[in-house]
Amino acid sequence: MLAARSEIQVDKDEVRVTEWRLAPGSATGHHTHGMDYVIVPLTPGEMTIVTSGGERSKARLAAGESYFRKAGVQHDVLNETSTEIVFLEIELKA
């Protein structure tokens, strides 16, 4: 798989905001979230989530419909569709 592209937009003591762009056939790579975070989809789409145990699930995104997750989530995020997926990840540091 191709590597997803990320760009940090804000990095302060309290928060980090990263824009993620997943082209078709790309993935973030397996990672663990060290902080609570909010995802804000900028495009609609469907991501494939792969847990550290290899379990796969689909996550549907609607532009502007945010969701929250606690620290400790371990997964890889894949774009197995034919359109780019773009979202903001807002990590809460404090």
Side-chain angles (χ1 to χ4, degrees), residues 32-61:
T32 302
H33 288 269
M35 297 173 260
D36 293 350
Y37 64 100
V38 174
I39 297 295
V40 182
L42 301 179
T43 60
E46 181 179 81
M47 301 185 301
T48 301
I49 309 298
V50 181
T51 67
S52 55
E55 295 176 31
R56 297 168 65 90
S57 63
K58 300 290 185 177
R60 288 189 117 17
L61 301 176

Side-chain angles (χ1 to χ4, degrees), residues 17-88:
V17 178
T18 305
E19 179 186 76
W20 283 92
R21 292 186 168 271
L22 282 76
S26 69
T28 60
H30 186 78
H31 59 280
T32 302
H33 288 269
M35 297 173 260
D36 293 350
Y37 64 100
V38 174
I39 297 295
V40 182
L42 301 179
T43 60
E46 181 179 81
M47 301 185 301
T48 301
I49 309 298
V50 181
T51 67
S52 55
E55 295 176 31
R56 297 168 65 90
S57 63
K58 300 290 185 177
R60 288 189 117 17
L61 301 176
E65 289 187 20
S66 305
Y67 63 88
F68 169 81
R69 296 287 184 267
K70 297 291 288 176
V73 172
Q74 298 181 14
H75 60 201
D76 190 1
V77 178
L78 293 69
N79 180 356
E80 298 179 322
T81 73
S82 61
T83 59
E84 182 179 53
I85 296 170
V86 182
F87 60 87
L88 297 178

Side-chain angles (χ1 to χ4, degrees), residues 2-19:
L2 302 170
R5 293 187 355 232
S6 65
E7 179 182 339
I8 295 174
Q9 295 182 342
V10 175
D11 196 359
K12 301 291 184 189
D13 290 341
E14 304 84 5
V15 66
R16 179 185 304 133
V17 178
T18 305
E19 179 186 76

